């Protein structure tokens, strides 16, 4: 994420100082190409967080030019990629909605325009329709099987490759099955809702995940397990967690 606040929301133990220090070491060591991977559409994200991505990319560029000219490697290039957040089961964000297609596309354009102002940065972003479909399968129930079969019968194959992805055909498959994809992708789940995957025991308790969601809402970081047990539930299984016995 582009700001420390949002990195704390997703419990990512990486700071801006960490990044700049490492890319500076790389540039001083003769490297000239850097790839930066971000995610957009994360819970609580604002446009300021997106601007933070551009600001971080600018600081990476500055780190390259901070190396004396005679010691810089040629062929300088920074590639900034931003994928779309997809809520997944067995995570603290399994209750969260995905941004709508319109919002995702607006954010992509916003970030593209912000990065255009940063010299030496190329921007890549993912197909928003494909991420929408991924969210449907990630949090769908058994009815998604009907959609999958219908889409296959209509010619959908190898959809992970952009040139083969047929968004309109998938939407036709949903319509013919009488299923609204927004029900799976764009709907916020309530705490007491029975989720399609609740019958599976992943080892991590649902109560722990909800507590982590609440901490994410407060941008509160969870400590490393090696610093003390966080009560995730794995201690129920002997020998599984090396930190809680």
């Amino acid at each position: 994420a582009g700001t420390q606040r949002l990195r704390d929301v997703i419990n990512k133990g990486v700071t801006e100082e960490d990044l700049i220090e490492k890319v500076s070491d790389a540039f001083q060591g003769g490297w000239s190409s850097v790839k930066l991977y971000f995610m957009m559409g994360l819970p609580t994200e604002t446009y300021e967080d997106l601007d933070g991505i551009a600001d971080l990319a600018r600081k990476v560029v500055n780190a390259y030019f901070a190396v004396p000219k005679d010691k810089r490697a040629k062929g300088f290039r920074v590639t900034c990629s931003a994928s779309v957040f997809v809520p997944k089961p067995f995570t603290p964000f399994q209750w969260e909605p995905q941004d709508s297609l319109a919002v995702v596309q607006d954010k992509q354009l916003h970030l593209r325009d912000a990065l255009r102002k940063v010299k030496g940065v190329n921007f890549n972003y993912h197909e928003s329709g494909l991420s929408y479909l991924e969210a449907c399968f990630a949090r769908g129930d058994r009815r998604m099987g009907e959609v999958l079969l219908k889409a296959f019968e209509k010619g959908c194959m190898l959809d992970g490759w952009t040139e083969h992805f047929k968004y309109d055909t998938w939407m036709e498959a949903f319509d013919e099955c009488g299923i609204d994809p927004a029900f799976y992708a764009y709907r916020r789940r309530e705490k007491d809702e029975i989720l399609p995957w609740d019958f599976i025991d992943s080892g991590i308790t649902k109560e722990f995940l909800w507590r982590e969601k609440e901490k994410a809402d407060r941008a509160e970081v969870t400590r490393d397990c090696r610093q003390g047990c966080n009560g995730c539930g794995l201690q129920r299984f002997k020998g599984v967690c090396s930190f809680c016995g």
Side-chain angles (χ1 to χ4, degrees):
T3 62
Q4 191 60 49
R5 182 199 70 83
L6 197 52
R7 287 192 289 272
D8 290 343
V9 167
I10 62 176
N11 212 51
K12 195 74 170 179
V14 178
T15 66
E16 179 180 302
E17 290 73 22
D18 292 330
L19 173 65
I20 301 304
E21 177 186 350
K22 299 309 177 188
V23 297
S24 296
D25 289 344
F27 291 144
Q28 291 169 9
W31 295 89
S32 61
S33 180
V34 172
K35 291 184 178 181
L36 304 175
Y37 294 93
F38 295 94
M39 188 171 290
M40 62 170 50
L42 289 163
T44 77
E45 180 184 74
T46 67
Y47 281 81
E48 290 181 357
D49 295 310
L50 296 177
D51 291 336
I53 293 176
D55 184 57
L56 204 53
R58 183 178 294 104
K59 290 178 180 177
V60 170
V61 171
N62 291 341
Y64 171 79
F65 285 104
V67 178
K69 189 173 182 179
D70 60 329
K71 296 182 179 180
R72 286 184 220 146
K74 295 181 179 180
F76 175 63
R77 183 174 70 256
V78 175
T79 300
C80 185
S81 298
S83 59
V84 179
F85 166 71
V86 177
K88 298 289 180 64
F90 308 116
T91 72
F93 296 145
Q94 64 182 359
W95 293 275
E96 296 294 325
Q98 184 182 56
D99 278 347
S100 69
L101 285 175
V103 171
V104 168
Q105 291 166 359
D106 186 70
K107 287 183 175 181
Q108 288 173 335
L109 292 176
H110 178 89
L111 184 53
R112 184 195 65 183
D113 290 343
L115 286 170
R116 278 179 173 171
K117 302 173 184 177
V118 184
K119 183 180 179 181
V121 176
N122 297 318
F123 178 45
N124 297 325
Y125 52 91
H126 293 198
E127 168 66 55
S128 55
L130 192 58
S131 297
Y132 181 33
L133 187 62
E134 184 181 348
C136 292
F137 278 106
R139 295 199 298 175
D141 51 31
R142 66 189 66 188
R143 292 178 294 174
M144 283 298 298
E146 302 174 32
V147 178
L148 178 60
L149 178 59
K150 178 65 68 175
F152 171 74
E153 292 171 344
K154 295 172 72 68
C156 291
M157 288 184 65
L158 304 176
D159 299 275
W161 295 348
T162 303
E163 63 267 29
H164 293 292
F165 180 52
K166 304 180 181 68
Y167 175 79
D168 291 340
T169 304
W170 274 101
M171 294 303 104
E172 290 173 6
F174 275 103
D175 187 57
E176 291 175 21
C177 291
I179 296 174
D180 180 8
F183 176 81
Y184 297 124
Y186 297 156
R187 185 172 59 85
R188 185 183 302 279
R189 272 62 165 173
E190 299 300 325
K191 180 181 181 180
D192 58 353
E193 179 174 342
I194 297 175
L195 305 174
W197 51 90
D198 276 347
F199 70 97
I200 301 172
D201 186 355
S202 68
I204 307 298
T205 65
K206 195 174 181 180
E207 291 74 20
F208 171 77
L209 293 175
W210 183 262
R211 292 199 303 270
E212 288 296 292
K213 176 200 172 306
E214 292 180 320
K215 291 174 71 174
D217 291 339
R218 301 191 297 268
E220 182 180 336
V221 175
T222 297
R223 64 183 177 183
D224 190 300
C225 293
R226 291 169 292 185
Q227 299 172 357
C229 182
N230 290 300
C232 70
L234 276 178
Q235 71 269 22
R236 293 174 294 151
F237 304 97
K238 186 177 180 180
V240 172
C241 181
S242 59
F243 302 120
C244 59

